[in-house]
Amino acid sequence: MKQWQWLMGLAVLVAGCQTGCKSIDVVQDGGFRVGQALTQNQPAPVLSPEYGKAFTVDNAYAIQRLAIGQVTQGRRVVGYKAGLTTPAAQQQYAANQPVAGVLLPGSEIVGSEDGYQVLLKSFRKPLVEVELGYRLMRRVTVPVPDVAALKEIVGEIAPVIELPDLVTAGNTLPNALDLIATNVGAKRVIVGPGRAPSLTDPNAIHVDVYREGELVNAGDSRAVLGDQWQALLWLVNRTVATGWAIEPGQLLITGSIGKAVPLQTGLYVADYGDFARLEFTVE
């Protein structure tokens, strides 16, 4: 059978299940649909109204992993991200815990002689988030027991700008499970130079973000789950629980410091105080 015939047959099956089939495989169906949306750069499907009680946290992460596999085709991912790491963000999506996603191959914006350049037209509803990123020195495939053990394997801490882009089909409001299944809006990241953990207290960083000289966001790094190390520990253990292996050098970002703000044209400056300073231009 040709691939297009198989896809058409699956589409018919999916359509039928959406109107009454009770034996649908939520993970296979959701993974296929999310994978197609990511591959074709289409709005993310909102699955929660269709899947009901079958749409559990475990199934949402299984859908995400299956979809990411379709997109990457074996290529190494840039890293992993945490979201909803503040009480306000969790309340917005009726969540009682953070969520995690994958930073896809090619998602890192590389600087040039003119600095970091972002094209607004390549997004739909982009946001700007300032974060901290971490890189580990060894491969991790099993849960890390505690923060003390985690600190022993962190090689560097870096300033990160995340530019998520969450657009849903029909602009339907997603819930936390929808966010997980559709990879938490992961799109692009800018990563500044890293520092050794011995030179930095990740819980003592204040960040101010300016656009064209106007302050648009400010926050303290400790506000992320109340402790950057706990946020990183959660992300590491959630990532391996989903079935991923964290490779040395991959980026782990712990969530927005302060609020997420809409991405607009102009010059942005993220001032991390003595830790770092990142600038990028949006055209």
Side-chain angles (χ1 to χ4, degrees):
M1 179 182 291
K2 295 181 179 180
Q3 185 180 26
W4 69 268
Q5 293 174 316
W6 180 83
L7 291 174
M8 286 186 65
L10 181 58
V12 171
L13 175 61
V14 168
C17 287
Q18 289 173 349
T19 59
C21 174
K22 295 183 179 180
S23 60
I24 185 172
D25 186 321
V26 166
V27 172
Q28 292 296 320
D29 179 47
F32 172 79
R33 293 168 62 187
V34 173
Q36 288 290 293
L38 292 175
T39 301
Q40 299 172 9
N41 195 28
Q42 296 297 315
V46 175
L47 306 174
S48 52
E50 300 177 34
Y51 294 163
K53 293 182 179 180
F55 198 30
T56 62
V57 170
D58 288 343
N59 281 343
Y61 279 111
I63 288 170
Q64 180 197 101
R65 185 154 192 251
L66 190 60
I68 297 303
Q70 293 180 48
V71 175
T72 60
Q73 295 292 305
R75 292 176 295 159
R76 174 171 162 142
V77 302
V78 169
Y80 305 92
K81 62 168 285 184
L84 306 189
T85 49
T86 64
Q90 291 180 15
Q91 184 178 14
Q92 183 179 356
Y93 289 94
N96 58 10
Q97 59 182 316
V99 296
V102 181
L103 302 173
L104 296 171
S107 61
E108 183 173 349
I109 297 173
V110 179
S112 66
E113 293 182 356
D114 298 323
Y116 296 104
Q117 305 290 321
V118 178
L119 294 178
L120 189 61
K121 66 180 182 181
S122 63
F123 297 83
R124 288 188 175 88
K125 294 176 64 176
L127 299 171
V128 180
E129 298 182 356
V130 289
E131 309 195 16
L132 291 178
Y134 303 79
R135 300 187 194 275
L136 306 185
M137 295 183 293
R138 68 170 177 82
R139 193 170 194 255
V140 176
T141 59
V142 296
V144 177
D146 51 40
V147 167
L150 179 64
K151 288 182 177 181
E152 292 180 359
I153 61 173
V154 173
E156 69 175 32
I157 305 173
V160 176
I161 305 294
E162 187 190 5
L163 305 174
D165 192 11
L166 180 62
V167 180
T168 57
N171 289 319
T172 306
L173 185 66
N175 64 22
L177 296 179
D178 292 309
L179 284 182
I180 294 169
T182 55
N183 202 33
V184 201
K187 183 75 172 183
R188 305 300 299 273
V189 290
I190 297 171
V191 186
R195 284 188 179 187
S198 59
L199 302 176
T200 303
D201 178 359
N203 282 317
I205 296 173
H206 178 85
V207 188
D208 290 319
V209 183
Y210 300 88
R211 174 185 168 271
E212 294 294 312
E214 179 184 354
L215 183 67
V216 294
N217 181 31
D220 296 310
S221 57
R222 183 178 289 277
V224 176
L225 284 189
D227 178 7
Q228 281 283 328
W229 290 112
Q230 288 294 338
L232 180 60
L233 182 65
W234 180 89
L235 177 58
V236 167
N237 289 343
R238 176 64 260 180
T239 298
V240 298
T242 304
W244 301 105
I246 302 173
E247 303 294 346
Q250 284 184 318
L251 182 68
L252 296 156
I253 59 177
T254 50
S256 181
I257 299 171
K259 62 184 179 180
V261 296
L263 182 70
Q264 300 176 301
T265 57
L267 172 66
Y268 282 82
V269 177
D271 184 356
Y272 287 75
D274 293 337
F275 176 64
R277 179 185 174 95
L278 279 179
E279 298 185 7
F280 63 100
T281 303
V282 183
E283 298 176 344

